[in-house]
Amino acid sequence: MIYLKTEEDLKYIRKACEIWKKVRHELVKYVRVGISTHELDLKAKEIIESLGAKCTFHKLYDFPGYICISVNDQLIHGIGDEYKLCSNDLVTFDIGITYHDHVADAAFTIIVSPSDNQQACDILKATYASLMESIKIIKPGIHVGDIAAKTYEVAKSYGYEVIRNFAGHGCGNKAHEDPLIPNIGLPNTGVSLVPNMVICIEPMLMTKSHAYEINYNNNWTVSSKNHKLTCHYEHMVLVTNDGYEILTKTLDENQDILLKY
């Protein structure tokens, strides 16, 4: 179901997004060589709850973690475990925040310092470009297929593939709402956007192949079948009367490909 957001909805969604930004800012301070993804998952829970919010993903569809932490060839739905971060690791944090029954959902990817991993920088740059170029075309009247086609076009221009079976989505009143927004599609197809829709655009890029596998031990973590680098970035976007507003954009995010955490 597509929910057109009321002013009351948007008040709480914006607050959830402000909390999301604070969580991002605080969580990256703990990223270092030797820390486990389980420790980072617990730290995210601690920060989220200290800000008066809840971890959206915890127990959603029985997901066991508090946020999703995916490393290197893990594309999405990574579960914090005993793996300890190494220099050059490419790490995606997909974080859901629930505040007064409204949701913020966004993801970002960073590189663990010290790093000389050019491949990680390249796919991170391509994923962020796919995200921002896809967002730039958002306005009332365009179709979901237009966004999907743009995501794929930009990814391919950098030499990457996109996953086929997972997609962006509506969000805000619930964690996952219609419409689905794939990473590949045809222009002028699918749902038309209208003002007060809130959608999550999330390019999911893969190296040389879009084939994937799901971890048979946890039935959640999606990884590239060829075990090459993957990358995921996501923003929550409000469709306005004449364009868009990125609700989860932070001041320093366009430096992610330059900063080493």
Side-chain angles (χ1 to χ4, degrees):
M1 180 176 178
I2 295 175
Y3 295 88
L4 297 184
K5 306 308 188 284
T6 66
E7 287 303 314
E8 184 78 357
D9 291 329
L10 289 173
K11 178 177 75 172
Y12 290 119
I13 291 169
R14 289 181 193 281
K15 178 61 177 177
C17 290
E18 288 303 313
I19 294 172
W20 185 94
K21 295 175 190 179
K22 292 177 181 177
V23 174
R24 172 191 160 122
H25 179 75
E26 292 301 315
L27 186 60
V28 295
K29 295 178 182 178
Y30 295 92
V31 175
R32 65 180 186 276
V33 171
I35 193 169
S36 72
T37 56
H38 176 64
E39 290 176 281
L40 288 170
D41 191 46
L42 293 179
K43 180 56 67 174
K45 173 184 184 290
E46 177 185 319
I47 297 168
I48 290 167
E49 292 180 350
S50 73
L51 294 169
K54 298 177 182 178
C55 303
T56 305
F57 300 155
H58 187 55
K59 301 304 182 185
L60 181 67
Y61 316 124
D62 293 325
F63 183 73
Y66 294 101
I67 65 172
C68 299
I69 308 176
S70 306
V71 183
N72 295 329
D73 65 333
Q74 298 175 342
L75 179 61
I76 51 175
H77 304 162
I79 299 170
D81 57 20
E82 298 311 309
Y83 177 79
K84 294 183 179 181
L85 295 184
C86 302
S87 62
N88 286 312
D89 276 348
L90 191 67
V91 188
T92 297
F93 297 93
D94 189 353
I95 303 171
I97 303 291
T98 299
Y99 178 78
H100 283 251
D101 296 323
H102 289 75
V103 176
D105 176 14
F108 63 98
T109 300
I110 62 176
I111 303 169
V112 179
S113 177
S115 174
D116 56 2
N117 191 341
Q118 189 59 48
Q119 289 182 331
C121 289
D122 289 345
I123 195 170
L124 178 49
K125 179 180 179 181
T127 308
Y128 188 71
S130 295
L131 173 73
M132 299 310 292
E133 292 302 314
S134 299
I135 290 173
K136 284 179 183 177
I137 69 171
I138 292 176
K139 62 181 179 180
I142 74 157
H143 296 263
V144 163
D146 298 321
I147 301 171
K150 177 60 71 172
T151 299
Y152 182 65
E153 173 192 328
V154 177
K156 290 297 286 184
S157 75
Y158 281 88
Y160 294 98
E161 288 290 342
V162 298
I163 201 164
R164 267 52 169 180
N165 292 31
F166 296 87
H169 51 90
C171 190
N173 290 19
K174 298 178 180 294
H176 297 113
E177 304 168 3
D178 292 329
L180 290 178
I181 306 169
N183 280 204
I184 185 171
L186 297 174
N188 300 311
T189 61
V191 171
S192 294
L193 302 188
V194 298
N196 289 348
M197 290 174 68
V198 175
I199 54 178
C200 289
I201 310 300
E202 45 183 318
M204 294 170 255
L205 273 59
M206 307 176 72
T207 304
K208 293 189 176 180
S209 171
H210 58 78
Y212 67 90
E213 57 190 14
I214 298 177
N215 186 305
Y216 65 86
N217 288 318
N218 64 38
N219 292 318
W220 274 104
T221 306
V222 177
S223 301
S224 56
K225 200 164 188 177
N226 61 11
H227 300 296
K228 294 187 181 297
L229 282 179
T230 66
C231 191
H232 173 210
Y233 223 111
E234 176 183 12
H235 265 318
M236 199 167 176
V237 182
L238 169 67
V239 183
T240 63
N241 289 328
D242 56 0
Y244 65 88
E245 177 187 348
I246 304 176
L247 298 174
T248 47
K249 185 171 175 59
T250 61
L251 294 176
D252 58 352
E253 70 179 44
N254 60 348
Q255 298 298 309
D256 280 348
I257 61 172
L258 303 175
L259 296 175
K260 303 296 185 288
Y261 292 84

